[in-house]
Amino acid sequence: MAIHRDPFSARPLVNEKSTAIVAAAAKENFREEVLAGLSKSPRKLPYKFFYDQRGAQLFQQICDLPEYYVTRTEIEILRLHGAEMARALGPQIELIGLGTGAGTKTLILLEELQTPAVYVPIDISKEQLEKSSARFREMFPTLQVLPVAADYLEPFELPLPRRLSSRSVIYFPGSTIGNFEPEAASEFLARMVELAGDGGGLLIGVDLRKDRDVLERAYNDPAGVTAQFNKNLLARINRELGADFDLKRWQHHAIYNSTEGRIEIYLISESEQTVHIGDREFQFRAGEEILTEYSHKHTIAGFIELARQAGFYFEKVWTDGARWFGVFYFTVAV
């Protein structure tokens, strides 16, 4: 993942031609990754493509479900310990938010920070990013907000802020690190060391291991919102790539794999069927699965060791009373 500062990104320089070029490139990347994933055995689709406008709306509904403990537990930790986190992060920082979505949790943190200088939210959902950035500019008029619409797993450019900051701190809430398999998580954290830079920091949300029933209820809610969210990925492929997935012939299923310590989310073909994407044809057997997401659950000691191997120094972890979720703080040596 290439990361560098782009002095022009701090300026609102956008035109129709550049927007169209970016949109065309994003669509082609979407097509390539979908075709590659469906050509694998077993088949898989990248979880990052869940978050089109409809997907983002559905995920917000998931966060409000009584079974989905993740969001409310992390928010509870932030509200209880936000002031302590802010003291640890220090004054006048540049906060780099990865996949912060609507910004609910970021808002809690920003309200506690002492005179933050710059906020750089990076999110794949452009619509949600624009809304949250406008909201933060209104709420924090002295804060320089520099949104970057990008996939943080791919090369991206960081804008050059007009204000000096004391240090850079990456904020990665929501337990998204769980979507990475262990080797990929280690590589990602090593890149975060580079992004934070000497003396920088990382504040990251991590879902912890717990009872199977709690986990499986969270990802198989009786209202069916998670199923809609999962199937929306197929709807997006239909809409943007001209595919012909029949959503009624696909079933959502999530299961906890205790050996690997992860939730596995699938779309299961209910019958033998053929799906077309452009000129490509894919045959599915009845009962055949498409993996759409892993959500690894970590232990506190295990995640500290994972980050240490990547180059971070452990400073502090804040948890809820049941230790269902942890917000970890790491630093990079000067």
Side-chain angles (χ1 to χ4, degrees):
M1 177 172 58
I3 304 164
H4 64 276
R5 292 286 186 180
D6 176 10
F8 298 103
S9 292
R11 306 173 189 174
L13 184 61
V14 179
N15 57 59
E16 291 183 4
K17 183 177 180 181
S18 64
T19 300
I21 291 171
V22 170
K27 182 175 180 179
E28 181 59 25
N29 178 63
F30 180 35
R31 182 179 183 277
E32 289 177 357
E33 292 204 40
V34 166
L35 293 178
L38 292 179
S39 299
K40 293 178 179 177
S41 181
R43 304 184 202 257
K44 60 170 56 179
L45 288 170
Y47 75 90
K48 64 184 178 181
F49 293 122
F50 277 134
Y51 299 96
D52 63 349
Q53 186 172 10
R54 177 58 176 158
Q57 291 169 350
L58 285 167
F59 184 70
Q60 193 59 48
Q61 292 179 37
I62 289 170
C63 292
D64 295 333
L65 292 170
E67 298 83 8
Y68 193 75
Y69 62 87
V70 179
T71 303
R72 68 172 179 271
T73 305
E74 186 175 16
I75 287 174
E76 174 191 333
I77 293 168
L78 286 166
R79 286 178 174 157
L80 285 173
H81 303 289
E84 186 181 353
M85 293 177 190
R87 287 193 295 272
L89 271 52
Q92 296 182 309
I93 65 167
E94 174 186 36
L95 189 68
I96 302 172
L98 301 184
T100 48
T104 304
K105 287 169 275 194
T106 310
L107 174 59
I108 298 170
L109 184 62
L110 283 172
E111 287 178 331
E112 295 288 356
L113 288 174
Q114 183 181 346
T115 59
V118 185
Y119 174 46
V120 183
I122 303 167
D123 203 287
I124 198 169
S125 176
K126 184 179 179 182
E127 296 85 358
Q128 194 163 238
L129 185 67
E130 289 174 345
K131 288 180 183 178
S132 62
S133 296
R135 179 187 179 202
F136 286 136
R137 288 191 182 104
E138 183 178 345
M139 296 184 69
F140 304 97
T142 63
L143 177 68
Q144 188 178 9
V145 181
L146 302 174
V148 178
D151 174 4
Y152 53 76
L153 300 178
E154 302 293 336
F156 65 87
E157 295 173 339
L158 279 176
L160 186 66
R162 295 187 299 272
R163 299 193 186 106
L164 291 176
S165 58
S166 59
R167 60 201 288 259
S168 294
V169 176
I170 301 162
Y171 182 42
F172 195 28
S175 75
T176 307
I177 191 66
N179 296 136
F180 296 83
E181 295 188 60
E183 184 176 346
S186 181
E187 292 173 358
F188 180 80
L189 289 169
R191 291 168 185 156
M192 292 304 97
V193 171
E194 176 189 347
L195 178 59
D198 293 348
L202 170 68
L203 189 68
I204 183 170
V206 180
D207 198 12
L208 303 176
R209 294 190 184 181
K210 58 189 68 65
D211 183 76
R212 173 190 293 273
D213 289 341
V214 173
L215 289 166
E216 292 190 349
R217 279 200 306 271
Y219 292 89
N220 292 293
D221 64 278
V225 182
T226 310
Q228 292 181 57
F229 176 71
N230 202 9
K231 289 185 181 184
N232 182 66
L233 182 52
L234 301 184
R236 180 180 181 183
I237 294 170
N238 284 350
R239 184 177 62 254
E240 297 185 21
L241 303 181
D244 57 1
F245 279 100
D246 182 349
L247 272 61
K248 294 189 295 294
R249 299 175 72 181
W250 291 88
Q251 180 183 4
H252 162 81
H253 182 61
I255 189 168
Y256 181 60
N257 182 333
S258 58
T259 303
E260 300 293 340
R262 69 190 180 201
I263 283 284
E264 299 174 354
I265 301 179
Y266 297 95
L267 287 163
I268 303 175
S269 176
E270 292 191 339
S271 60
E272 185 175 329
Q273 57 181 304
T274 302
V275 175
H276 301 88
I277 303 178
D279 59 357
R280 294 287 298 276
E281 183 176 282
F282 296 91
Q283 302 284 343
F284 293 92
R285 304 181 309 275
E288 187 169 1
E289 300 170 334
I290 301 175
L291 173 69
T292 56
E293 185 176 11
Y294 284 142
S295 185
H296 289 83
K297 310 306 174 184
H298 294 271
T299 64
I300 290 176
F303 192 77
I304 290 171
E305 178 60 19
L306 186 68
R308 187 196 66 77
Q309 291 177 3
F312 279 112
Y313 290 87
F314 172 67
E315 299 288 348
K316 179 80 175 180
V317 61
W318 296 271
T319 70
D320 59 291
R323 291 205 161 194
W324 279 9
F325 195 93
V327 178
F328 292 72
Y329 176 49
F330 300 94
T331 56
V332 181
V334 178

